[in-house]
Amino acid sequence: MGEILQRRIKRHPILEFEEKETITFYFEGKPLKARSSDTIASALIANGIDIFGWTENGRPRGFFCAIGKCSSCLVVVDGVPNVRACITKVKDGMSVERQIGRGAVWEEKR
Amino acid sequence: MKTELLVVGGGPAGLSGAIAAAKSGVKVLLIDEGLDLGGQLVKQTHKFFGHQGFFASKRGVEIAKILKNRIEDLKVDYMLQTTLVGFYEDAAVAYSREENKTYEIDYDYVLLATGASEKFLVFKNNMLPGVYGAGAVQTLMNQYGVLPGEDFLIIGAGNIGLIVAYQIAQAGGNVRAIVEISNRAGGYEVHANKIKRMGIPILLRHTIVKAIGKDRVKGAVIAKVDDNFKVIKGTEREIVADTICLSVGLQPSIELANQLGVEIVYIPELGGHVPKRDENMRTSKRNVFVAGDLSGIEEATSAMAEGYIAGYTIAQDITRRDLSEKINKYKEELVDLRRGPFGKKIRSGLEKMGIHLPSGGYRTDLQEDFGPSGKLRAIMECHQNIPCNPCEAVCPTNAIDMGGNINGIPHINYDKCVGCMMCVMKCPGLAIFMVQEFDEYSIVGIPYEFEPLPNVGDRVILMSRDGEDVGEGVIQRVIKNRKDKTHVVYVAMEKGLEKVVRHFRVPSFEEDKIVCRCEEVTKKDIEKAIAIGFTDFEELRRYLRIGMGPCGGRTCRLITMGILAKKTGKSIEEISSMNLRPPSIPLPIDSILRGEEK
Ligand SMILES: Cc1cc2nc3c(=O)[nH]c(=O)nc-3n(C[C@H](O)[C@H](O)[C@H](O)COP(=O)(O)OP(=O)(O)OC[C@H]3O[C@@H](n4cnc5c(N)ncnc54)[C@H](O)[C@@H]3O)c2cc1C
Ligand code: FES
C-alpha cells in the first residue's frame, strides 16, 4: 500500500490534483481505489501495477504511449477484451483483467 | 450526422482549424478520441516560446483551456472519447467509447489533425513494463498526477527528453541521466541548461544497450558509441532505474490520410511519411486538409498557425468569401517561426514539397556587456535564435530588444534596466537571472519552479551552470509569483560566485540519510569514502564497516552499490563480485556447537 502513496504526486509546483480516491474497481478480482479522473492505466500504475497483460509468448506487457496510439495497454474490461486502458476512464465497480495476446484472459493467475 | 467540415483531432491544430472555420460561418464537427480537448497541450506544464498572439509564456495546459473556451463560445459541436475509425466512400465512421456506438458522418470537407505518435527504439528487453514513451510518462504525471517510478533514465536529449526530464524532477522523481547518441543535445540550449544546472548528467555519444529486469525494469545497460553510432565494446555500464523514457522522435499519424487516398510522401525532415500538401494545407484531394504534427513534426505554435490557415481556406471555399487577408497573416507568422536555425529541418523538408521559405534576417551577435557591477540587473543567457519575445514584450522600461525580428538574440540596455525582474518571471526558457554585487558578497536571483520553496535564511548548496556544487549560500529573498508560478529566489553568496551560480539545492536530509542502519553510516559518509578512493564494494565495507552489522547488509548493500555505481560509473555486475560471508545472520555460538555435536 505504501507504494500507492508514493506514486500519486502529492505536491506539484505548477499543477493541482484532485485528492480523493473515491472509486473502487476490481483488478483480477481484487478491489483497488482510484480517482474519478483516472483512466484504467493511471489507476493501475498508481496502485503499483505495471504489468497489464502478457503477449502470446508470455512476455509481460505494460503501457507505452498513454494516448491510445500503440495498443500496448490492452486489458479485459467487464469481460470485453482489447480495451485500451490508457484512454478509457476507470469506473466504480469496473472489473479489469490482464489480457494475454489478442484477447484471452490470463487464466493461470486465478 | 451531417456537417460542412469534419475536424479529426482536437490538439492545437484541429482546435485552431475549427475556430477559424466556425468564426467564418462554417458548420463544424470536431472529433477527438482523448478525454479532453487540447491534444498534447493538456500535459505540457512548461511555458511556451513565441509571441503573445500565440500565447507565449503561457503553459500548454492553459493554452488548451483558452482554445477550448473559444470552441465553446463559438458553439462548435465536438465529440470526445470518439475515434474516427475509417473513411468509406463518402461517409466517415466514428466510434464512441462512452456510448459503445458508431456514427456515420456525412461531410463536405475534412481537416485531419491527428498529430503524431512516439517512436519506439530497438534494444534488448525493450518490451519490459517500465520502458515507456517520454510523452506517455508526461501524460501520466501531468494529466493524472501519477509518477510511474522513482528513478528515471531518459533516452534522447531532444526537446521532449529535456522537458520531460525537468518535469519529472518537478513532480518529485529522480532523473538518473539523459542518454543521447549524438554529440550534442538536439533540443534548445535553454532547456538543456535547466537540466544541467540541476546536476542531471546528459551523457552524449551514449546509447541504451538493454533494459535489465524480469517482470519490469530494474535498470539499464548503457554504453558509449563510436562515430558510426556503434557501441564501443567495454564501455557498457549499468544504471539503476525503474523507468526508462524513450524520446527518440515522433512519427506523423497518417493512417486516416492514407485511407482517404491522398498522396503521401516520405520526407525524413518532416518525420517520415507525411501527406503532400500545398501552402494552404490542402492535400492532393480538394476537400481534404491537414495541419499540425501530421503534416510534419514541429511545435504547437506552428500547429496552430497551420490550423488557422486550413480552417480559413476551407471557409473561403465553402462561403466563397475572400479570407486571404487572414490566411496571409498566418502564412507570415509561419515564415517568421521557421526563419531561424531550428526551422532549418522544416524548411528543407517543405522545400521537397515545393514550398520555399526564407531564412535569416535576424540578429545573431551575443551581448558582451553584462552591465555595471553593483547594480541589480538582469543577465540574459539566451544564446540561440529562438522565435520568442516575452522578455521584450513585458519589460516596462523597454530595456530589452530582439533587434527587430522575433528570432533575434535579446540584448538589454543596462541604462534602462530597473531590476524589476519581470523578464525573469516571463522567460519560457528560464534563461534570465538577476545579479547584484555588494562589497562583501553578491546575490543571484534564480527562476525557480520547484516545491517546496526555500525560506529566507535557509542555507543552501550553490550549483553552477553544470550542476557542480560550488559552495554554500543563504536564501535572501523569495519573490513568489502566484500567477505564473515562476518564482524568483535570491541567494547570497561569496563574491565572484555570482558569475557561476545558476541553481541551488536544499541540503535537506539527503546529506544525513542513513544507508546502513546497523552501523549508522550515512549516504554522505559513503560518498566521501568513494571520493577519497574507496571505489570497490569490499574496500568500502572494510573501511566503513557497512554491511558488517547484524542485518548482514540486507538493508544497505543495494543502496551502497547504487551510490558506488553512480559515483564511479562502474557496473553493478562489476561491483557485485563481492563475497557475502556466512553466516547471513548472527548465530548464537552454542547453536553452532550443538550442531557440530551431531
Ligand atoms: C513532451 C512534448 C513537449 C513539447 N513542447 C512544446 C513546446 O514547448 N512548444 C511547442 O510549441 N510545442 C511543443 N510540443 C509540440 C506540440 O505539442 C505538438 O507539435 C502539437 O501538440 C501538435 O499539435 P497537433 O494538433 O498536430 O497534434 P496533437 O496535439 O497530438 O493532437 C492530436 C489529437 O488528435 C486526436 N486523434 C488522433 N487520431 C484520432 C482519431 N483517429 N480519431 C479521433 N481523434 C484522434 C488525438 O487524441 C489528439 O488529441 C511538445 C510536444 C511534446 C510531446
Ligand atoms: S498505451 Fe498506447 S494505446 Fe494505450
Side-chain angles (χ1 to χ4, degrees), chain B residues 9 11-13 32-33 39-40 44 46 84 114 138 160 292-293 299-300:
Chain B
D32 194 289
E33 62 181 349
Q40 306 314 307
Q44 289 172 14
H46 57 288
L84 205 124
T114 48
Q138 197 189 29
I160 296 186
D293 278 354
E299 295 208 318

Side-chain angles (χ1 to χ4, degrees), chain B residues 121-126 128 131 153-155 176-177 179-180 203 205-213 217-225 231-244 246 565 569-574:
Chain B
L121 188 69
V122 179
F123 56 91
K124 225 171 144 185
N125 294 340
N126 57 355
L128 271 185
V131 178
L153 177 67
I154 316 274
I155 314 299
R176 287 281 149 131
V179 171
E180 166 59 51
L203 304 171
R205 288 187 164 269
H206 275 73
T207 191
I208 180 164
V209 179
K210 70 170 183 187
I212 304 171
V217 171
K218 294 257 154 49
V221 176
I222 61 165
K224 284 194 185 152
V225 296
V231 167
I232 304 175
K233 280 235 149 54
T235 63
E236 295 89 350
R237 64 179 157 125
E238 278 180 16
I239 294 216
V240 182
D242 54 17
T243 310
I244 298 170
L246 303 185
K570 278 192 202 170
S571 82
I572 296 216
E573 264 158 22
E574 239 175 285

Side-chain angles (χ1 to χ4, degrees), chain A residues 3-18 21 35 37-55 58-70 72 80 83-84 86-91 109, chain B residues 33-35 40 43 45 59 61 81 83 97-98 114-121 127-137 139-150 167 170-172 214-216 242 246 253 449-453 484-485 487:
Chain A
E3 195 147 8
I4 300 174
L5 294 171
Q6 287 263 316
R7 285 187 162 188
R8 291 275 183 204
I9 298 167
K10 286 177 293 280
R11 300 175 79 173
H12 197 280
I14 314 292
L15 301 166
E16 275 165 34
F17 296 107
E18 177 197 350
E21 300 198 327
R35 291 176 182 166
S37 54
D38 272 324
T39 58
I40 298 172
S42 69
L44 290 178
I45 297 291
N47 280 287
I49 293 157
D50 304 313
I51 303 175
F52 287 23
W54 279 274
T55 63
R59 279 207 182 96
R61 249 189 320 99
F63 75 96
F64 180 72
C65 74
I67 51 167
K69 302 243 179 189
C70 73
S72 174
V80 180
V83 175
R84 283 175 292 174
C86 69
I87 52 168
T88 306
K89 278 205 154 192
V90 71
K91 296 224 171 88
K109 280 258 145 179
Chain B
E33 62 181 349
L35 296 176
Q40 306 314 307
K43 60 190 187 204
T45 51
R59 299 180 191 275
V61 280
Q81 302 194 55
T83 304
R97 265 172 294 133
E98 274 296 274
T114 48
S117 62
E118 300 195 85
K119 283 188 186 155
F120 199 40
L121 188 69
M127 261 287 284
L128 271 185
V131 178
Y132 302 137
V137 169
T139 300
L140 220 57
M141 70 181 172
N142 293 345
Q143 202 174 353
Y144 302 105
V146 180
L147 207 52
E150 282 176 52
Q167 293 176 355
Q170 285 182 307
K214 219 172 124 255
D215 286 338
R216 78 165 327 288
D242 54 17
L246 303 185
S253 302
E449 297 184 330
F450 293 94
E451 274 281 335
L453 279 176
D484 285 348
K485 309 227 165 86
H487 313 288

